[in-house]
Amino acid sequence: MGTVNRSDAQQRADEIGIFNRELGRLEVAGVLHLTEEQRRNVHQYQERLLNGYLESFDIDRTSRTRHLSLGMRVATLLGALALAASLFFLVEQFWGGFSATAQVIVLIAVSVVTCCLTFILRKHDSSGYFCKLAAMVAFTSFVLNVVLLGDIFNITPSAKAFLPWAAYGLLLAYACNSRLLLVMGLGCAVVFAASGLGSLGGSTWEAFVERPETFLLPALIVFFLPACFSQYRYDGFSAVYQVVGLLGVFVPVLCLAYWGEASYLQFSSEFIEGAYQIGGFLLAAAVIWLGIHKECSDVLNVGVGFFVVFLFVKMVDLLWGVLPNYLFFLVLGGCAVLVLLLLRRLRNRSSRLYGGA
Amino acid sequence: MGMRLRTAFVASLGLLLLVNGIVLAGVYWNRELPAESVVTLSERELSVSFGRHGAGGHDSVTLSLSYRRPSQDGEFFISAKQMQALGFRAEPDEMACDVMRTQRLSPREVLLVIEVDGPAYQRELDIAEKAYTQAAQRLKNSPRNESRKNAYETAERELEYERHRSSRAFVVDVGVDQEQLRERYSDSKRYAIVRATANPSVRELEKKQGKQESRCVHYAQASAMVRHIHVPRELRDQFLREDSITKHARHSVSNAKPFVAEIAFGKRLEPWLHSVKLQKQ
């Protein structure tokens, strides 16, 4: 199988490390002994492979570099947030001193400069950390650009702004391999689509906020997109699509389970809430099954997480105030143990089924 | 730069410029003369908000249009019958609340006709004057009656407020067809048409005697979509002159000195501050 993304390269590098350690143990135990030539060939092959990965994907060859990488990722996120905030406050500080023409020029110039900077860094920064940081600032600049233009010229608010934000977020995400920007791009796209659906019958663009059902279709489309368009070349993108899609389904279902008035369905609120509560449990169970069946840990985790949330909220709804506090938490703890037992059973079954693979 | 990266760069840059171009072209088109309407307003209709950005930063000023509804228009801003004409699937008459609450209506975009210093204001002034005259007459008949004295003082204060302080901008009509509304209210210096959001709701009516079931009625509230009007730097300095406002008032809705401002509404009904002139008190 050809390696095409960073995750695969990292996994292969890890497997090489495990193989070498096990080989050392086998040799010490006298089970296996490689000749000098065989050892040299294996070593040369592995070095060639690892150097190639290092050059293309900036992988971590040791646990020390892996910890440092994690620190760099955290620093990138914090740096991006800090730089975006700095940009916002810089603009705010001097904003009032500019004429309308100067304000427009500053807004467009900042967007263009940050965009150019992102792509220049993308070309020269093999690690990608600085490029991702610049991309976040570029995205923030563009959002600020559109919002402030609306403010200066008293433009009627509309959901149309979410479309270019989504497109720009996705372009930067794919150019810089940034999962955070992918989340933002997809979020904007879902909001734009939900607003479009919500205003189909002539309602205002912001009506979707009070109609969680408008999120369901766009979120489902996002969930199934990786099945239609392979994201294999982009590290972790497929999981981001699935998680964003699932959140876009679960959060509205959770809202509707306790806020029936927000539904489009013309039934009583109690009926709608009951239906969404049952639907939420079934959906979470289906997602857990899908996660296990497709061996997709992110899908499984979201499914388990929401199953627990639905269970917890339902128990609060039913038992809080009825049972004494100690008994309520005892029942809650008991339910957590039950979920654990259920998941362990699923895991054991899964191990038996795929154990040989 | 690889081919794929170059394409992404060109697409990103193109997107930035295209979006800014579309926004600015829209603004230019909206502000193309003649404007759809230009109304003259004062501090009575425009509340001024001041803000200061950061330590030592520059002040910003925004104006908010405050308008009223004629008191004779009844309890509801938009009645159930009016709602139907605006495209809502509202029930025209009262119904059982249980049935009505399952018909969840979404907010819709509507157009409000705002009349400035016109017959609607005159009617309100007449009402206040009439109330004052009646209170004065009652007090004259029995000058020692304390409650009549209080009523007289209240009526006097309300008349004073109506004459000199309250907003003279009134919502006189609501619709969805801009051309039709403009035809009906052709004076573009007195009537401004603004975009608004109509939020539907259900109100429970008081139970009639002998009736078990509670009855409800649809109604809607409307509020302008563009709530704040940006004051550009060239015009802002007039509001920020030391003598125009007290320092205390700077960071909140102010007690600004009297001013006269021309607010224009363009082809997309988006407003802008055309001119402003401070008046001597």
Side-chain angles (χ1 to χ4, degrees):
Chain A
M1 186 179 67
T3 302
V4 284
N5 69 33
R6 191 182 181 280
S7 289
D8 289 335
Q10 186 64 58
Q11 193 183 345
R12 186 74 192 271
D14 294 344
E15 284 167 1
I16 288 171
I18 293 166
F19 170 78
N20 287 340
R21 281 196 296 277
E22 186 59 25
L23 184 65
R25 286 192 201 105
L26 290 174
E27 281 181 336
V28 168
V31 179
L32 180 74
H33 186 73
L34 294 181
T35 63
E36 231 8 80
E37 193 188 353
Q38 282 173 325
R39 189 186 302 280
R40 199 172 47 248
N41 286 344
V42 170
H43 183 70
Q44 278 173 354
Y45 173 73
Q46 288 178 340
E47 277 301 304
R48 212 169 38 246
L49 209 61
L50 290 172
N51 286 336
Y53 290 158
L54 199 62
E55 203 175 300
S56 308
F57 302 107
D58 192 40
I59 58 160
D60 301 310
R61 287 188 63 173
T62 63
S63 62
R64 187 182 152 83
T65 57
R66 182 172 296 183
H67 290 138
L68 284 172
S69 288
L70 185 67
M72 283 168 80
R73 273 202 285 277
V74 174
T76 306
L77 177 66
L78 293 178
L81 293 175
L83 280 174
S86 158
L87 186 74
F88 174 79
F89 287 114
L90 180 76
V91 168
E92 200 198 23
Q93 174 85 14
F94 299 105
W95 200 235
F98 298 140
S99 66
T101 313
Q103 286 175 335
V104 171
I105 292 170
V106 167
L107 286 176
I108 298 174
V110 169
S111 289
V112 169
V113 167
T114 49
C115 175
C116 294
L117 185 71
T118 303
F119 281 92
I120 290 169
L121 285 172
R122 174 71 184 87
K123 193 183 167 194
H124 296 289
D125 170 30
S126 63
S127 69
Y129 293 111
F130 295 101
C131 154
K132 284 174 190 168
L133 202 143
M136 265 303 292
V137 177
F139 182 74
T140 312
S141 306
F142 185 48
V143 172
L144 213 59
N145 176 348
V146 176
V147 170
L148 287 178
L149 277 183
D151 194 41
I152 295 167
F153 297 112
N154 313 311
I155 296 170
T156 311
S158 92
K160 286 175 200 143
F162 284 96
L163 184 62
W165 289 340
Y168 195 52
L170 292 175
L171 272 169
L172 291 176
Y174 278 93
C176 302
N177 231 326
S178 166
R179 279 174 284 187
L180 185 59
L181 276 168
L182 184 66
V183 171
M184 295 194 172
L186 290 176
C188 289
V190 168
V191 168
F192 175 76
S195 169
L197 286 174
S199 59
L200 272 182
S203 306
T204 52
W205 73 272
E206 69 265 42
F208 76 98
V209 177
E210 293 177 2
R211 301 290 196 185
E213 279 152 345
T214 53
F215 284 93
L216 297 177
L217 183 64
L220 274 175
I221 291 172
V222 167
F223 180 78
F224 286 111
L225 267 179
C228 308
F229 303 99
S230 171
Q231 304 293 316
Y232 201 62
R233 294 180 60 250
Y234 301 95
D235 187 24
F237 274 31
S238 186
V240 170
Y241 273 93
Q242 287 168 339
V243 171
V244 169
L246 286 177
L247 287 176
V249 174
F250 274 120
V251 173
V253 170
L254 185 62
C255 290
L256 287 161
Y258 295 92
W259 183 30
E261 291 93 21
S263 174
Y264 279 110
L265 304 172
Q266 309 262 309
F267 299 109
S268 71
S269 296
E270 292 75 26
F271 178 81
I272 292 168
E273 286 171 9
Y276 273 105
Q277 283 169 19
I278 295 167
F281 279 112
L282 292 177
L283 192 67
V287 168
I288 292 170
W289 174 83
L290 190 72
I292 293 167
H293 187 67
K294 295 278 177 191
E295 291 179 64
C296 188
S297 61
D298 299 291
V299 172
L300 177 66
N301 290 339
V302 174
V304 172
F306 271 92
F307 191 87
V308 172
V309 169
F310 275 110
L311 193 65
F312 178 76
V313 177
K314 187 67 208 165
M315 293 193 73
V316 170
D317 192 33
L318 284 178
L319 305 175
W320 187 257
V322 177
L323 294 180
N325 290 357
Y326 73 91
L327 201 57
F328 172 78
F329 285 108
L330 187 70
V331 173
L332 205 65
C335 285
V337 171
L338 272 177
V339 171
L340 271 175
L341 288 172
L342 187 74
L343 287 174
R344 196 179 70 168
R345 200 185 157 94
L346 279 170
R347 195 181 72 166
N348 291 344
R349 204 175 136 199
S350 184
S351 298
R352 276 202 300 278
L353 275 173
Y354 303 105
Chain B
M1 221 183 273
M3 185 65 189
R4 195 184 294 271
L5 207 57
R6 195 173 296 143
T7 312
F9 174 61
V10 171
S12 302
L13 211 56
L15 181 71
L16 291 182
L17 298 175
L18 180 73
V19 170
N20 278 291
I22 290 171
V23 172
L24 293 176
V27 171
Y28 178 80
W29 186 72
N30 178 59
R31 296 191 178 190
E32 219 174 23
L33 296 173
E36 207 280 331
S37 60
V38 182
V39 288
T40 306
L41 304 166
S42 72
E43 76 288 347
R44 293 171 65 171
E45 291 83 30
L46 293 168
S47 50
V48 190
S49 303
F50 297 91
R52 176 165 284 195
H53 303 296
H58 295 267
D59 287 295
S60 67
V61 183
T62 50
L63 303 174
S64 313
L65 179 63
S66 47
Y67 48 83
R68 305 155 65 191
R69 279 191 323 117
S71 49
Q72 63 188 24
D73 273 12
E75 196 183 353
F76 301 120
F77 199 129
I78 301 170
S79 68
K81 283 198 175 105
Q82 278 178 302
M83 284 172 76
Q84 281 193 320
L86 297 174
F88 286 100
R89 285 181 292 110
E91 295 297 333
D93 304 308
E94 59 179 73
M95 277 180 77
C97 290
D98 294 345
V99 180
M100 200 165 259
R101 286 197 175 117
T102 60
Q103 301 172 349
R104 298 171 190 94
L105 306 178
S106 295
R108 294 180 80 91
E109 190 182 321
V110 295
L111 299 170
L112 299 181
V113 180
I114 295 179
E115 181 191 277
V116 181
D117 199 7
Y121 172 63
Q122 203 51 53
R123 273 196 297 278
E124 294 303 313
L125 202 56
D126 291 345
I127 291 168
E129 275 171 357
K130 199 174 165 189
Y132 171 73
T133 316
Q134 282 174 352
Q137 189 60 45
R138 281 199 203 107
L139 185 64
K140 204 176 163 186
N141 293 342
S142 53
R144 289 186 184 175
N145 186 319
E146 200 58 34
S147 70
R148 288 190 179 188
K149 196 177 169 191
N150 287 341
Y152 169 77
E153 281 169 2
T154 307
E156 189 182 29
R157 265 201 311 274
E158 281 176 357
L159 178 61
E160 169 68 12
Y161 189 78
E162 194 65 67
R163 272 185 186 150
H164 303 292
R165 284 170 177 266
S166 66
S167 172
R168 291 160 299 177
F170 283 81
V171 177
V172 289
D173 206 348
V174 56
V176 283
D177 189 331
Q178 190 185 334
E179 276 181 31
Q180 229 173 53
L181 289 172
R182 183 46 76 202
E183 214 170 278
R184 213 178 300 160
Y185 303 93
S186 54
D187 186 354
S188 61
K189 286 186 175 167
R190 188 170 300 285
Y191 296 97
I193 299 175
V194 301
R195 283 187 201 285
T197 304
N199 287 299
S201 199
V202 173
R203 164 97 44 104
E204 192 172 334
L205 300 171
E206 277 182 34
K207 270 188 190 169
K208 286 174 189 164
Q209 275 191 333
K211 293 253 178 181
Q212 289 290 315
E213 193 184 45
S214 54
R215 309 287 287 175
C216 282
V217 66
H218 272 131
Y219 75 100
Q221 295 279 6
S223 57
M225 279 182 158
V226 178
R227 293 181 187 98
H228 304 291
I229 300 166
H230 176 77
V231 178
R233 192 187 64 171
E234 307 81 66
L235 301 173
R236 192 187 54 208
D237 292 344
Q238 297 212 44
F239 288 100
L240 295 175
R241 272 174 21 203
E242 284 303 312
D243 63 338
S244 68
I245 47 169
T246 60
K247 280 199 170 174
H248 175 73
R250 279 203 159 188
H251 298 286
S252 59
V253 175
S254 79
N255 301 310
K257 275 192 172 176
F259 65 86
V260 172
E262 276 190 328
I263 301 289
F265 291 84
K267 291 187 170 56
R268 294 199 307 195
L269 304 180
E270 285 161 1
W272 75 96
L273 180 60
H274 195 255
S275 69
V276 63
K277 201 173 170 187
L278 285 174
Q279 306 250 296
K280 284 183 182 168
Q281 263 183 326

PDB file of all heavy atoms in Angstrom, chain B residues 163-186:
ATOM      1  N   ARG B 163     -44.479  67.329  23.038  1.00  0.00           N
ATOM      2  CA  ARG B 163     -44.140  68.504  22.224  1.00  0.00           C
ATOM      3  C   ARG B 163     -42.650  68.622  21.927  1.00  0.00           C
ATOM      4  O   ARG B 163     -42.264  68.995  20.838  1.00  0.00           O
ATOM      5  CB  ARG B 163     -44.578  69.768  22.963  1.00  0.00           C
ATOM      6  CG  ARG B 163     -45.996  70.169  22.668  1.00  0.00           C
ATOM      7  CD  ARG B 163     -46.297  71.478  23.337  1.00  0.00           C
ATOM      8  NE  ARG B 163     -47.691  71.822  23.189  1.00  0.00           N
ATOM      9  CZ  ARG B 163     -48.371  72.539  24.062  1.00  0.00           C
ATOM     10  NH1 ARG B 163     -47.778  72.981  25.162  1.00  0.00           N
ATOM     11  NH2 ARG B 163     -49.637  72.835  23.852  1.00  0.00           N
ATOM     12  N   HIS B 164     -41.821  68.308  22.922  1.00  0.00           N
ATOM     13  CA  HIS B 164     -40.406  68.635  22.780  1.00  0.00           C
ATOM     14  C   HIS B 164     -39.426  67.468  22.808  1.00  0.00           C
ATOM     15  O   HIS B 164     -38.269  67.654  22.445  1.00  0.00           O
ATOM     16  CB  HIS B 164     -39.988  69.635  23.870  1.00  0.00           C
ATOM     17  CG  HIS B 164     -40.797  70.893  23.842  1.00  0.00           C
ATOM     18  ND1 HIS B 164     -40.710  71.795  22.808  1.00  0.00           N
ATOM     19  CD2 HIS B 164     -41.721  71.389  24.694  1.00  0.00           C
ATOM     20  CE1 HIS B 164     -41.543  72.797  23.031  1.00  0.00           C
ATOM     21  NE2 HIS B 164     -42.179  72.570  24.163  1.00  0.00           N
ATOM     22  N   ARG B 165     -39.847  66.309  23.258  1.00  0.00           N
ATOM     23  CA  ARG B 165     -38.857  65.241  23.449  1.00  0.00           C
ATOM     24  C   ARG B 165     -39.168  63.933  22.712  1.00  0.00           C
ATOM     25  O   ARG B 165     -38.259  63.257  22.255  1.00  0.00           O
ATOM     26  CB  ARG B 165     -38.705  64.905  24.934  1.00  0.00           C
ATOM     27  CG  ARG B 165     -37.897  65.941  25.682  1.00  0.00           C
ATOM     28  CD  ARG B 165     -37.995  65.683  27.170  1.00  0.00           C
ATOM     29  NE  ARG B 165     -37.177  66.604  27.902  1.00  0.00           N
ATOM     30  CZ  ARG B 165     -35.931  66.358  28.295  1.00  0.00           C
ATOM     31  NH1 ARG B 165     -35.401  65.204  28.037  1.00  0.00           N
ATOM     32  NH2 ARG B 165     -35.251  67.260  28.955  1.00  0.00           N
ATOM     33  N   SER B 166     -40.410  63.559  22.651  1.00  0.00           N
ATOM     34  CA  SER B 166     -40.715  62.222  22.119  1.00  0.00           C
ATOM     35  C   SER B 166     -40.459  62.159  20.613  1.00  0.00           C
ATOM     36  O   SER B 166     -40.458  63.174  19.921  1.00  0.00           O
ATOM     37  CB  SER B 166     -42.157  61.856  22.418  1.00  0.00           C
ATOM     38  OG  SER B 166     -42.988  62.727  21.708  1.00  0.00           O
ATOM     39  N   SER B 167     -40.243  60.914  20.148  1.00  0.00           N
ATOM     40  CA  SER B 167     -39.958  60.703  18.723  1.00  0.00           C
ATOM     41  C   SER B 167     -41.189  61.046  17.880  1.00  0.00           C
ATOM     42  O   SER B 167     -42.319  60.708  18.232  1.00  0.00           O
ATOM     43  CB  SER B 167     -39.585  59.239  18.510  1.00  0.00           C
ATOM     44  OG  SER B 167     -39.500  58.973  17.134  1.00  0.00           O
ATOM     45  N   ARG B 168     -40.911  61.718  16.752  1.00  0.00           N
ATOM     46  CA  ARG B 168     -42.019  62.054  15.844  1.00  0.00           C
ATOM     47  C   ARG B 168     -42.096  61.061  14.680  1.00  0.00           C
ATOM     48  O   ARG B 168     -42.782  61.293  13.705  1.00  0.00           O
ATOM     49  CB  ARG B 168     -41.824  63.470  15.303  1.00  0.00           C
ATOM     50  CG  ARG B 168     -42.003  64.558  16.356  1.00  0.00           C
ATOM     51  CD  ARG B 168     -41.361  65.844  15.929  1.00  0.00           C
ATOM     52  NE  ARG B 168     -39.928  65.659  15.739  1.00  0.00           N
ATOM     53  CZ  ARG B 168     -39.104  66.606  15.308  1.00  0.00           C
ATOM     54  NH1 ARG B 168     -39.560  67.795  14.998  1.00  0.00           N
ATOM     55  NH2 ARG B 168     -37.812  66.366  15.162  1.00  0.00           N
ATOM     56  N   ALA B 169     -41.317  59.981  14.793  1.00  0.00           N
ATOM     57  CA  ALA B 169     -41.335  58.956  13.745  1.00  0.00           C
ATOM     58  C   ALA B 169     -42.321  57.852  14.145  1.00  0.00           C
ATOM     59  O   ALA B 169     -42.222  57.298  15.240  1.00  0.00           O
ATOM     60  CB  ALA B 169     -39.943  58.377  13.583  1.00  0.00           C
ATOM     61  N   PHE B 170     -43.262  57.562  13.255  1.00  0.00           N
ATOM     62  CA  PHE B 170     -44.309  56.576  13.539  1.00  0.00           C
ATOM     63  C   PHE B 170     -44.365  55.519  12.435  1.00  0.00           C
ATOM     64  O   PHE B 170     -44.247  55.856  11.257  1.00  0.00           O
ATOM     65  CB  PHE B 170     -45.679  57.262  13.616  1.00  0.00           C
ATOM     66  CG  PHE B 170     -45.888  57.991  14.911  1.00  0.00           C
ATOM     67  CD1 PHE B 170     -45.356  59.257  15.102  1.00  0.00           C
ATOM     68  CD2 PHE B 170     -46.590  57.407  15.945  1.00  0.00           C
ATOM     69  CE1 PHE B 170     -45.529  59.929  16.290  1.00  0.00           C
ATOM     70  CE2 PHE B 170     -46.768  58.067  17.155  1.00  0.00           C
ATOM     71  CZ  PHE B 170     -46.243  59.328  17.327  1.00  0.00           C
ATOM     72  N   VAL B 171     -44.549  54.276  12.858  1.00  0.00           N
ATOM     73  CA  VAL B 171     -44.783  53.225  11.865  1.00  0.00           C
ATOM     74  C   VAL B 171     -46.248  53.320  11.470  1.00  0.00           C
ATOM     75  O   VAL B 171     -47.129  53.088  12.301  1.00  0.00           O
ATOM     76  CB  VAL B 171     -44.486  51.822  12.445  1.00  0.00           C
ATOM     77  CG1 VAL B 171     -44.799  50.744  11.422  1.00  0.00           C
ATOM     78  CG2 VAL B 171     -43.044  51.723  12.861  1.00  0.00           C
ATOM     79  N   VAL B 172     -46.511  53.693  10.222  1.00  0.00           N
ATOM     80  CA  VAL B 172     -47.910  53.896   9.828  1.00  0.00           C
ATOM     81  C   VAL B 172     -48.448  52.774   8.948  1.00  0.00           C
ATOM     82  O   VAL B 172     -49.650  52.657   8.746  1.00  0.00           O
ATOM     83  CB  VAL B 172     -48.091  55.256   9.106  1.00  0.00           C
ATOM     84  CG1 VAL B 172     -47.944  56.396  10.083  1.00  0.00           C
ATOM     85  CG2 VAL B 172     -47.150  55.402   7.932  1.00  0.00           C
ATOM     86  N   ASP B 173     -47.536  51.962   8.403  1.00  0.00           N
ATOM     87  CA  ASP B 173     -48.025  50.856   7.572  1.00  0.00           C
ATOM     88  C   ASP B 173     -46.950  49.773   7.510  1.00  0.00           C
ATOM     89  O   ASP B 173     -45.774  50.018   7.794  1.00  0.00           O
ATOM     90  CB  ASP B 173     -48.346  51.350   6.151  1.00  0.00           C
ATOM     91  CG  ASP B 173     -49.397  50.486   5.479  1.00  0.00           C
ATOM     92  OD1 ASP B 173     -49.699  49.392   6.003  1.00  0.00           O
ATOM     93  OD2 ASP B 173     -49.924  50.905   4.434  1.00  0.00           O
ATOM     94  N   VAL B 174     -47.388  48.604   7.126  1.00  0.00           N
ATOM     95  CA  VAL B 174     -46.463  47.479   6.968  1.00  0.00           C
ATOM     96  C   VAL B 174     -46.892  46.683   5.737  1.00  0.00           C
ATOM     97  O   VAL B 174     -48.082  46.552   5.454  1.00  0.00           O
ATOM     98  CB  VAL B 174     -46.432  46.623   8.266  1.00  0.00           C
ATOM     99  CG1 VAL B 174     -47.794  46.138   8.653  1.00  0.00           C
ATOM    100  CG2 VAL B 174     -45.481  45.474   8.153  1.00  0.00           C
ATOM    101  N   GLY B 175     -45.931  46.227   4.965  1.00  0.00           N
ATOM    102  CA  GLY B 175     -46.260  45.496   3.739  1.00  0.00           C
ATOM    103  C   GLY B 175     -45.084  44.700   3.242  1.00  0.00           C
ATOM    104  O   GLY B 175     -44.066  44.575   3.928  1.00  0.00           O
ATOM    105  N   VAL B 176     -45.247  44.160   2.031  1.00  0.00           N
ATOM    106  CA  VAL B 176     -44.140  43.397   1.449  1.00  0.00           C
ATOM    107  C   VAL B 176     -43.753  43.927   0.072  1.00  0.00           C
ATOM    108  O   VAL B 176     -42.677  43.624  -0.434  1.00  0.00           O
ATOM    109  CB  VAL B 176     -44.486  41.888   1.336  1.00  0.00           C
ATOM    110  CG1 VAL B 176     -44.371  41.200   2.677  1.00  0.00           C
ATOM    111  CG2 VAL B 176     -45.857  41.652   0.742  1.00  0.00           C
ATOM    112  N   ASP B 177     -44.641  44.727  -0.524  1.00  0.00           N
ATOM    113  CA  ASP B 177     -44.396  45.242  -1.870  1.00  0.00           C
ATOM    114  C   ASP B 177     -43.923  46.701  -1.771  1.00  0.00           C
ATOM    115  O   ASP B 177     -44.706  47.595  -1.472  1.00  0.00           O
ATOM    116  CB  ASP B 177     -45.688  45.128  -2.697  1.00  0.00           C
ATOM    117  CG  ASP B 177     -45.442  45.443  -4.162  1.00  0.00           C
ATOM    118  OD1 ASP B 177     -44.528  46.242  -4.444  1.00  0.00           O
ATOM    119  OD2 ASP B 177     -46.165  44.892  -5.018  1.00  0.00           O
ATOM    120  N   GLN B 178     -42.656  46.910  -2.075  1.00  0.00           N
ATOM    121  CA  GLN B 178     -42.070  48.246  -1.923  1.00  0.00           C
ATOM    122  C   GLN B 178     -42.750  49.267  -2.848  1.00  0.00           C
ATOM    123  O   GLN B 178     -43.042  50.394  -2.437  1.00  0.00           O
ATOM    124  CB  GLN B 178     -40.570  48.166  -2.225  1.00  0.00           C
ATOM    125  CG  GLN B 178     -39.825  49.434  -1.876  1.00  0.00           C
ATOM    126  CD  GLN B 178     -38.366  49.364  -2.304  1.00  0.00           C
ATOM    127  OE1 GLN B 178     -37.800  48.285  -2.411  1.00  0.00           O
ATOM    128  NE2 GLN B 178     -37.767  50.509  -2.547  1.00  0.00           N
ATOM    129  N   GLU B 179     -42.976  48.855  -4.092  1.00  0.00           N
ATOM    130  CA  GLU B 179     -43.570  49.789  -5.072  1.00  0.00           C
ATOM    131  C   GLU B 179     -44.960  50.240  -4.624  1.00  0.00           C
ATOM    132  O   GLU B 179     -45.314  51.417  -4.721  1.00  0.00           O
ATOM    133  CB  GLU B 179     -43.654  49.130  -6.438  1.00  0.00           C
ATOM    134  CG  GLU B 179     -42.347  49.242  -7.196  1.00  0.00           C
ATOM    135  CD  GLU B 179     -42.431  48.606  -8.554  1.00  0.00           C
ATOM    136  OE1 GLU B 179     -43.529  48.601  -9.153  1.00  0.00           O
ATOM    137  OE2 GLU B 179     -41.401  48.098  -9.015  1.00  0.00           O
ATOM    138  N   GLN B 180     -45.725  49.260  -4.172  1.00  0.00           N
ATOM    139  CA  GLN B 180     -47.092  49.555  -3.725  1.00  0.00           C
ATOM    140  C   GLN B 180     -47.087  50.541  -2.553  1.00  0.00           C
ATOM    141  O   GLN B 180     -47.861  51.498  -2.534  1.00  0.00           O
ATOM    142  CB  GLN B 180     -47.742  48.258  -3.270  1.00  0.00           C
ATOM    143  CG  GLN B 180     -49.115  48.022  -3.869  1.00  0.00           C
ATOM    144  CD  GLN B 180     -49.593  46.630  -3.502  1.00  0.00           C
ATOM    145  OE1 GLN B 180     -49.604  46.263  -2.332  1.00  0.00           O
ATOM    146  NE2 GLN B 180     -49.980  45.872  -4.513  1.00  0.00           N
ATOM    147  N   LEU B 181     -46.176  50.287  -1.615  1.00  0.00           N
ATOM    148  CA  LEU B 181     -46.090  51.154  -0.436  1.00  0.00           C
ATOM    149  C   LEU B 181     -45.649  52.564  -0.832  1.00  0.00           C
ATOM    150  O   LEU B 181     -46.181  53.560  -0.333  1.00  0.00           O
ATOM    151  CB  LEU B 181     -45.108  50.574   0.592  1.00  0.00           C
ATOM    152  CG  LEU B 181     -45.567  49.309   1.321  1.00  0.00           C
ATOM    153  CD1 LEU B 181     -44.437  48.728   2.156  1.00  0.00           C
ATOM    154  CD2 LEU B 181     -46.774  49.603   2.222  1.00  0.00           C
ATOM    155  N   ARG B 182     -44.687  52.638  -1.760  1.00  0.00           N
ATOM    156  CA  ARG B 182     -44.202  53.952  -2.172  1.00  0.00           C
ATOM    157  C   ARG B 182     -45.293  54.727  -2.919  1.00  0.00           C
ATOM    158  O   ARG B 182     -45.399  55.948  -2.812  1.00  0.00           O
ATOM    159  CB  ARG B 182     -42.933  53.779  -3.014  1.00  0.00           C
ATOM    160  CG  ARG B 182     -42.254  55.026  -3.475  1.00  0.00           C
ATOM    161  CD  ARG B 182     -42.086  56.078  -2.410  1.00  0.00           C
ATOM    162  NE  ARG B 182     -41.029  55.826  -1.461  1.00  0.00           N
ATOM    163  CZ  ARG B 182     -40.988  56.376  -0.241  1.00  0.00           C
ATOM    164  NH1 ARG B 182     -41.966  57.158   0.183  1.00  0.00           N
ATOM    165  NH2 ARG B 182     -39.993  56.129   0.569  1.00  0.00           N
ATOM    166  N   GLU B 183     -46.107  53.973  -3.670  1.00  0.00           N
ATOM    167  CA  GLU B 183     -47.214  54.610  -4.387  1.00  0.00           C
ATOM    168  C   GLU B 183     -48.212  55.217  -3.387  1.00  0.00           C
ATOM    169  O   GLU B 183     -48.713  56.318  -3.570  1.00  0.00           O
ATOM    170  CB  GLU B 183     -47.915  53.542  -5.224  1.00  0.00           C
ATOM    171  CG  GLU B 183     -48.467  54.081  -6.546  1.00  0.00           C
ATOM    172  CD  GLU B 183     -48.915  52.936  -7.416  1.00  0.00           C
ATOM    173  OE1 GLU B 183     -48.068  52.323  -8.082  1.00  0.00           O
ATOM    174  OE2 GLU B 183     -50.132  52.666  -7.390  1.00  0.00           O
ATOM    175  N   ARG B 184     -48.441  54.460  -2.301  1.00  0.00           N
ATOM    176  CA  ARG B 184     -49.391  54.903  -1.280  1.00  0.00           C
ATOM    177  C   ARG B 184     -48.822  56.057  -0.452  1.00  0.00           C
ATOM    178  O   ARG B 184     -49.544  56.938  -0.035  1.00  0.00           O
ATOM    179  CB  ARG B 184     -49.704  53.715  -0.356  1.00  0.00           C
ATOM    180  CG  ARG B 184     -51.135  53.751   0.175  1.00  0.00           C
ATOM    181  CD  ARG B 184     -51.413  52.534   1.035  1.00  0.00           C
ATOM    182  NE  ARG B 184     -51.258  51.281   0.314  1.00  0.00           N
ATOM    183  CZ  ARG B 184     -51.060  50.108   0.896  1.00  0.00           C
ATOM    184  NH1 ARG B 184     -50.941  50.026   2.205  1.00  0.00           N
ATOM    185  NH2 ARG B 184     -50.949  49.017   0.184  1.00  0.00           N
ATOM    186  N   TYR B 185     -47.528  56.011  -0.217  1.00  0.00           N
ATOM    187  CA  TYR B 185     -46.873  57.074   0.579  1.00  0.00           C
ATOM    188  C   TYR B 185     -45.796  57.705  -0.294  1.00  0.00           C
ATOM    189  O   TYR B 185     -44.610  57.386  -0.183  1.00  0.00           O
ATOM    190  CB  TYR B 185     -46.259  56.478   1.852  1.00  0.00           C
ATOM    191  CG  TYR B 185     -47.267  55.750   2.702  1.00  0.00           C
ATOM    192  CD1 TYR B 185     -47.461  54.377   2.568  1.00  0.00           C
ATOM    193  CD2 TYR B 185     -48.054  56.431   3.630  1.00  0.00           C
ATOM    194  CE1 TYR B 185     -48.405  53.710   3.325  1.00  0.00           C
ATOM    195  CE2 TYR B 185     -49.000  55.769   4.393  1.00  0.00           C
ATOM    196  CZ  TYR B 185     -49.171  54.403   4.236  1.00  0.00           C
ATOM    197  OH  TYR B 185     -50.100  53.737   4.982  1.00  0.00           O
ATOM    198  N   SER B 186     -46.227  58.581  -1.196  1.00  0.00           N
ATOM    199  CA  SER B 186     -45.314  59.048  -2.246  1.00  0.00           C
ATOM    200  C   SER B 186     -44.314  60.108  -1.779  1.00  0.00           C
ATOM    201  O   SER B 186     -43.295  60.314  -2.421  1.00  0.00           O
ATOM    202  CB  SER B 186     -46.127  59.593  -3.425  1.00  0.00           C
ATOM    203  OG  SER B 186     -47.018  60.570  -2.942  1.00  0.00           O
TER     204      SER B 186
END
